Amino acid sequence: MNQTAILRRQSTGAPEAGFGARRFQVYTLRDLDRIAALSRMPDELHFEMKVVASVLPFRVNDYVIDSLIDWDKAPEDPVFQLSFPQKGMLDPADFDRMADLFHAGADAREIQAAAQEIRNHLNPHPADQLRLNVPLDENGERLEGLQHKYRETVLFFPSQGQTCHTYCSFCFRWAQFIGDKALRMASTEAAALHRYLRNHRGVTDLLVTGGDPMVMKARRLAAYLEPLLEPAFDHIQSIRIGTKALSFWPHRFVTDEDADELLRLLERLSGAGKHIALMAHYNHWRELDTDIAREAIRRLRSTGAEIRSQGPLLAHINDSGETWARLWQTQVKAGIIPYYMFVERDTGAHRYFEVPLAKAWRVYREAMQQVSGLGRTARGPSMSAGPGKVEIQGVTEINGEKVFVLRFIQSRNPDWVQRPFFARYDESATWLDQLRPALGEERFFFEDEYQAFCAERQGG
Ligand SMILES: *Cc1c(COP(=O)(O)O)cnc(C)c1O
Ligand code: SF4
C-alpha cells in the first residue's frame, strides 16, 4: 500500500466524534398516524395523504423527519413536499374516486383495484424503457435488470437495491415500489451482468442504479463490483453508483455497521484504477446542511471516489434560480461536481411537479449566472426521452420565429449528439413530445430513424 493509500485508510477510519450510531426507522402508509410531527397538521391533510399514498408509494425515515424537514414551514417546506404525499399529485377526478371509496368504507381489495387502475394511467414506464432498452443475450432472452441504451454505458438494477431510504414524492421509478412484479426491472444475477460486460468491449461505464443501490450491504455490492477489477473488464473505466443516501440516510457512510467496509470497497476499486463516481441525487441545498451529511461527503471523498450531483427541477420544491444557485454553491464547497439538471419526467405525480420547459431554461440560466465556473458544470435542463437526453440550450429568434434551441447530450445514435435542432417556442410545453419542429420543418431530424428503431423493437 502506498503512502497516500495509508493516509486515506487512516482518514476513513473511525468517524469524527459526535456521530453515534442511529437505528434506521422507517414509516409507510400503515404508520402514518404514528409520525408525531404530523399530529400538528389538520385531519383533512392526514386524510389527503392517505388517499394519495394508497396510489403512489410512500416511505419516509426519521432522519428526514427530525433533521431535514422544517416543520414550522410544513406543508410548504420543500423537504416535506419532497417526501410526503400531496393532494395535487393525483388528478382531481382520481383523487375524488379514491376519497369516495375511503368515505364509503370500501375494503382493501376494492381500494387496491381502483389504485391499480389509476396507476396504469400514470405512464409507469416513461420513455418505453423496458421495451426499448433491455438487451438480449446470445439466445435472444431478455436480460432483466440491465438497460443498454447508450453505447458507452450499461445500467444495472441489482434486485437488492430496488428500494430507497425514503421515497421521493415525485419519484420517476415509482412503479418499481408498488409491488407489481410485471413492472420491476431488477436482476438478481451478478453472473449475467459480468457476462454481458465481458462480451461488450465498447462499454466503458457501468451505472449501478435502483431504487438506491446504497440500501445494499457492502458485501452484496462487493460481489457485483469487485470482479470488475479482473483484466477481462479493463474496458470498464468508470463505475457509477446512483444514490440518494447522502440526503436521506448519510449514516450509511458514517455510522452504519458496515459503513467502513463500504468505504474500503470504494477505496479498493478506485485504488485499482477505476473511476468511481457516486451520482448523488439532490433536490435542495437543505439536504446538504447537516453535520452528518457533511461528514458522509468528507468520508466518501477520502476514498478517492468522486461525487457528482444530479436531480430534477420541481415545482413546490426547487423551481427558482436562487435555490439552484445555492444548491450548486453548497455542492461545490463540499467538493461535489454538479452534473445534470433534469426536467421532471412525464410519469407518476408529474402533474404536480412539472415545470414548463421555457421556465426550466430561465431557472437554469438564472442559477448559472450566480455561480462561478466550478458550478457551471451542470448540464441541462435535460429531458431523458425515448431518443435520448435532450437539453434546452436556449430560446432565440430566427428570421422572426421564436424557437427553442435543443441538442442531444446523449442519444441512441451517437451521430445525433451535439447537433443543434429547433422547436417552435411554446410557453407551456413540459416535455419533448409536446414540441413541434420550427422553421418550416415537418419532422425533427432524428424522428424517422427513431420510429424505425421502435418498430423493429416492437416486432422483435
Ligand atoms: C443518463 C443515462 C445514462 C448515462 O448517460 P451519461 O450522459 O453518460 O451520463 C445511461 N443510460 C441511460 C438510460 C440514461 O438515461
Ligand atoms: S431516490 Fe430516485 S429511485 Fe429513490 S425514490 Fe427518489 S427518485 Fe425514486
Side-chain angles (χ1 to χ4, degrees), residues 41-58:
M41 310 279 239
D43 288 348
E44 185 60 22
L45 206 78
H46 279 240
F47 177 71
E48 290 170 8
M49 287 195 274
K50 276 186 193 162
V51 169
V52 174
S54 64
V55 178
L56 294 167
F58 165 68

Side-chain angles (χ1 to χ4, degrees), residues 112 116 119-120 124-125 130 142 144-145 159 162 174-188:
Q112 261 307 313
Q116 197 50 50
R119 289 171 192 150
N120 291 342
H125 283 290
L130 289 190
R142 288 162 55 87
E144 302 299 342
S159 63
Q162 300 312 306
W174 60 279
Q176 283 161 271
F177 301 142
I178 47 179
D180 185 335
K181 281 243 166 66
L183 292 175
R184 290 227 187 110
M185 14 190 210
S187 166
T188 34

Side-chain angles (χ1 to χ4, degrees), residues 145-185:
L146 291 189
Q147 285 190 35
H148 193 180
K149 177 172 178 178
Y150 306 130
R151 196 176 48 188
E152 310 80 27
T153 307
V154 166
L155 259 54
F156 176 54
F157 298 78
S159 63
Q160 307 85 356
Q162 300 312 306
T163 184
C164 297
H165 293 100
T166 284
Y167 290 152
C168 305
S169 49
F170 55 82
C171 177
F172 69 108
R173 288 192 172 143
W174 60 279
Q176 283 161 271
F177 301 142
I178 47 179
D180 185 335
K181 281 243 166 66
L183 292 175
R184 290 227 187 110
M185 14 190 210

Side-chain angles (χ1 to χ4, degrees), residues 19 63-64 67-69 78-79 82 243-250 253 278-298 300-301 307-311 318 322-338:
F19 296 106
Y63 166 72
V64 175
S67 305
L68 295 187
I69 294 174
V79 186
L82 147 69
T243 186
K244 183 124 184 136
L246 276 168
S247 302
F248 285 157
W249 189 244
F253 310 103
L278 271 91
M279 306 307 287
H281 174 187
Y282 284 111
N283 308 106
H284 199 277
W285 51 263
R286 182 103 56 72
E287 297 165 272
L288 292 120
D289 202 23
T290 66
D291 288 338
I292 188 93
R294 280 183 284 266
E295 175 66 1
I297 293 166
R298 191 192 67 76
L300 275 171
R301 293 192 64 226
I307 309 174
R308 289 173 214 276
S309 64
Q310 54 188 29
N318 62 18
E322 251 144 59
T323 306
W324 279 87
R326 182 155 175 192
L327 175 64
W328 287 333
Q329 279 159 353
T330 311
Q331 289 170 352
V332 168
K333 186 174 172 211
I336 297 173
I337 305 161

